[in-house]
Amino acid sequence: MTLRKPPLRDVHDERGATFTEFGGWDMPVEFDSIKLEHRAVRETVGIFDVSHMGEIEVTGPDAEALMQRLTSNDVTALDAGDSQYSMITDEDGHVIDDSVVYRLPDDDEADYLFVPNAGHDEQMHDRWTTYRDEWGLDATVNNATDEYAMYALQGPDAPDLLGEVAEDSLSDLSKFEAKYVSVAGVECWVARTGYTGEDGFELILPSTEATTVWEALDCQPCGLGSRDTLRMEMGFLLSGQDFDHEDDPRDPYEAGVGFTVKLDTEFVGRDALEQVKEEGVEDEFVGIKLVDRGVPRHGYDVTNTDNIVIGEVTSGTMSPTLNEPIALGYVPTEYADPGTVVRVMVRGQSKKAKVASTPFIDN
Amino acid sequence: MSFEVPDDRKYMESHEWATNADDTAKVGITDFAQDELGDVVFVELPSEGDELTKDEEFGVVESIKAVSDLYSPVNGTVVAVNEALHDQPELVNDDPFGEGWMLEVELDDDSGLDELLSAGEYREQIE
């Protein structure tokens, strides 16, 4: 299968990036060093090319109704320029994908824009149009993924850097707010969102203008490697790894994102989730810190102190900020309290570990 | 990108190096290998007194993004381990042929050292 390429794939290659396949896309994983890029975001500012993320536009008289019935959060709470984190769940309440949903300005052609994970754009487009037709709703659904580039400018210096090249002030933009801003002469949809735990912005812009904006935001380029270590330190979910609709279906309560579920709205999966909320979950998504030396990685077994397998590491790394081995994964609720001693099987060796609160870092 | 390949040691196809002293050898991984791995965050090494067999695993080096087995370039007995790597695994990145050394091995009579690649042969492999 041919990999999809971000608009600046060749620019990144010339810059010396190494690449990895992610969600069917050929994406930069590292420009200089994961540690160096990680540190840039924590201490100053870094920019990620996240053009592998999808963009779906939903328009028309019933756009709100369609969004409301296919996402777990309450889109009616959004004013123009607001955004919210939301889950897309199946009838059983299992997470198919997570997304940020934007309500666009009233004079915009589209009413809503949402951002599925890499490689999920076609699936989400199909889901939206199938349900629209089944429910007889009047809405247009446009998969605009190939029309846009998307960058994430993250770090404490991100507001100053973006402020230097943006025509409008960004100081009024609160967390999870967004607006159109001209950046280096290019109209961008700029949101105060991110995936690193730092202050920063995500910019969605025409792919034809990808180079202009990238070059204007001149700072440390960062790859998906540091994006992964940064989000792990925050305990943020990674689609396909910390939940996988095919291999490891999880509901939002298990995944620790129950705050995105509004049971007073009607959406696919709502009834199943109401039941989960009433009965409680069996497993919880937790942080784990290794006490012994080693590096926990995706797929490693988590056991109790009797060496009985109780769960699995879904994400793990050596935290560049803490210089300690950290992991995320699901364990039964009786093991989920921070401080509970568990063990992680690292390449055949049982290593002492403790359940930990997330985020792992003070931020 | 060109990588350092010192002429004063011998190499494995799997990117370990061994110095060629009289009866002991120092062992580590190459500049090319550390670059491929990226930021090294953990090194698991054998203990003093452990016996190594040429071409068999003797430890593990982990970067943020990958886990790689380490293969012994020689037959022999471990007489020293670079303990600094426990606290500073990044030495493997910073100075793979110097401060980032891993083991010192007392060579068996049939050490297998002669069968390793020369610097020139290894250079050809990674080019």
Side-chain angles (χ1 to χ4, degrees):
Chain A
M1 192 182 82
T2 308
L3 291 178
R4 298 165 79 179
K5 293 181 179 177
L8 294 190
R9 201 276 175 205
D10 292 342
V11 173
H12 302 326
D13 192 24
E14 284 172 20
R15 171 63 178 73
T18 54
F19 290 81
T20 189
E21 186 275 331
F22 192 84
W25 289 74
D26 193 24
M27 297 303 295
V29 66
E30 186 177 351
F31 285 86
D32 295 299
S33 136
I34 291 174
K35 273 185 173 176
L36 184 152
E37 294 161 29
H38 184 107
R39 202 180 313 123
V41 171
R42 287 275 178 258
E43 296 174 2
T44 55
V45 58
I47 187 167
F48 302 84
D49 183 347
V50 288
S51 299
H52 59 319
M53 302 296 285
E55 286 90 12
I56 308 278
E57 296 167 335
V58 186
T59 324
D62 294 330
E64 181 180 275
L66 186 59
M67 293 301 297
Q68 187 76 327
R69 291 169 71 171
L70 287 173
T71 61
S72 67
N73 215 326
D74 181 6
V75 296
T76 66
L78 296 176
D79 292 325
D82 285 347
S83 69
Q84 66 187 188
Y85 184 49
S86 198
M87 299 293 132
I88 295 117
T89 49
D90 64 13
E91 290 284 356
D92 296 325
H94 293 139
V95 178
I96 301 170
D97 204 3
D98 60 348
S99 178
V100 172
V101 174
Y102 298 98
R103 168 105 183 263
L104 296 170
D106 293 336
D107 57 354
D108 197 274
E109 286 181 6
D111 298 324
Y112 294 92
L113 169 70
F114 72 100
V115 181
N117 282 286
H120 288 191
D121 55 315
E122 288 174 18
Q123 180 194 3
M124 289 302 128
H125 178 262
D126 290 349
R127 185 173 182 81
W128 255 245
T129 52
T130 301
Y131 274 105
R132 174 199 63 193
D133 295 346
E134 188 180 320
W135 294 328
L137 295 176
D138 183 3
T140 301
V141 183
N142 178 38
N143 183 357
T145 302
D146 292 334
E147 298 168 30
Y148 292 118
M150 183 169 173
Y151 304 144
L153 188 73
Q154 301 282 295
D157 294 344
D160 286 346
L161 177 58
L162 187 55
E164 286 171 16
V165 289
E167 283 179 16
D168 305 326
S169 168
L170 294 153
S171 58
D172 60 331
L173 214 54
S174 302
K175 204 174 174 188
F176 272 86
E177 281 186 352
K179 66 178 181 180
Y180 284 107
V181 178
S182 179
V183 177
V186 177
E187 188 180 62
C188 300
W189 180 244
V190 178
R192 201 153 200 163
T193 52
Y195 190 47
T196 63
E198 297 299 328
D199 195 1
F201 304 88
E202 290 177 308
L203 299 88
I204 297 173
L205 55 135
S207 57
T208 50
E209 303 288 351
T211 308
T212 306
V213 177
W214 181 263
E215 288 180 350
L217 298 170
D218 186 21
C219 63
Q220 175 65 48
C222 302
L224 295 188
S226 57
R227 190 168 162 84
D228 199 39
T229 53
L230 288 156
R231 70 95 193 166
M232 268 190 262
E233 288 183 343
M234 293 305 295
F236 293 156
L237 297 165
L238 176 62
S239 170
Q241 199 161 297
D242 299 309
F243 63 86
D244 187 313
H245 190 242
E246 302 296 320
D247 297 335
D248 188 21
R250 297 289 180 179
D251 67 59
Y253 294 114
E254 287 176 291
V257 287
F259 65 91
T260 64
V261 177
K262 298 295 162 27
L263 290 174
D264 53 354
T265 70
E266 286 294 333
F267 61 92
V268 175
R270 183 219 163 270
D271 294 349
L273 289 172
E274 183 177 39
Q275 196 175 343
V276 173
K277 188 161 193 199
E278 279 173 12
E279 294 175 359
V281 294
E282 292 181 6
D283 290 339
E284 287 182 47
F285 188 62
V286 297
I288 296 168
K289 267 189 182 182
L290 242 60
V291 177
D292 289 339
R293 297 174 65 248
V295 185
R297 297 196 186 261
H298 175 74
Y300 287 3
D301 282 337
V302 178
T303 74
N304 62 14
T305 50
D306 295 325
N307 293 320
I308 294 168
V309 176
I310 56 169
E312 194 176 275
V313 170
T314 52
S315 293
T317 193
M318 184 70 80
S319 158
T321 302
L322 302 171
N323 200 25
E324 291 180 73
I326 59 169
L328 300 167
Y330 294 89
V331 297
T333 51
E334 61 263 37
Y335 295 98
D337 288 339
T340 304
V341 175
V342 293
R343 302 192 74 84
V344 177
M345 291 298 291
V346 177
R347 288 176 283 101
Q349 293 178 2
S350 175
K351 305 273 188 178
K352 185 179 177 183
K354 281 185 179 177
V355 173
S357 304
T358 57
F360 290 101
I361 59 168
D362 294 328
N363 230 19
Chain B
M1 186 165 183
S2 90
F3 295 99
E4 196 185 346
V5 183
D7 289 322
D8 64 351
R9 56 200 80 196
K10 303 194 102 179
Y11 298 88
M12 295 185 82
E13 287 180 6
S14 52
H15 311 292
E16 293 82 2
W17 55 258
T19 55
N20 192 357
D22 290 342
D23 54 0
T24 63
K26 268 192 175 175
V27 171
I29 66 168
T30 65
D31 188 24
F32 175 84
Q34 70 77 23
D35 185 74
E36 288 282 298
L37 280 163
D39 299 303
V40 171
V41 293
F42 183 69
V43 184
E44 190 173 282
L45 297 173
S47 305
E48 284 180 36
D50 285 357
E51 293 192 1
L52 302 185
T53 304
K54 189 174 184 305
D55 298 327
E56 291 193 1
E57 291 170 26
F58 72 81
V60 168
V61 59
E62 298 201 35
S63 66
I64 289 178
K65 61 187 180 188
V67 185
S68 295
D69 291 323
L70 295 163
Y71 295 93
S72 177
V74 291
N75 295 309
T77 305
V78 177
V79 291
V81 176
N82 187 358
E83 300 290 345
L85 297 184
H86 289 320
D87 295 327
Q88 295 174 276
E90 64 272 16
L91 290 173
V92 175
N93 292 118
D94 298 342
D95 191 9
F97 295 113
E99 296 289 308
W101 68 277
M102 292 176 176
L103 305 175
E104 192 168 339
V105 182
E106 187 176 277
L107 299 172
D108 289 352
D109 291 339
D110 56 343
S111 67
L113 200 57
D114 296 339
E115 298 156 26
L116 298 174
L117 302 175
S118 67
E121 289 166 333
Y122 180 69
R123 222 173 268 130
E124 280 178 24
Q125 183 195 312
I126 61 172
E127 276 171 0

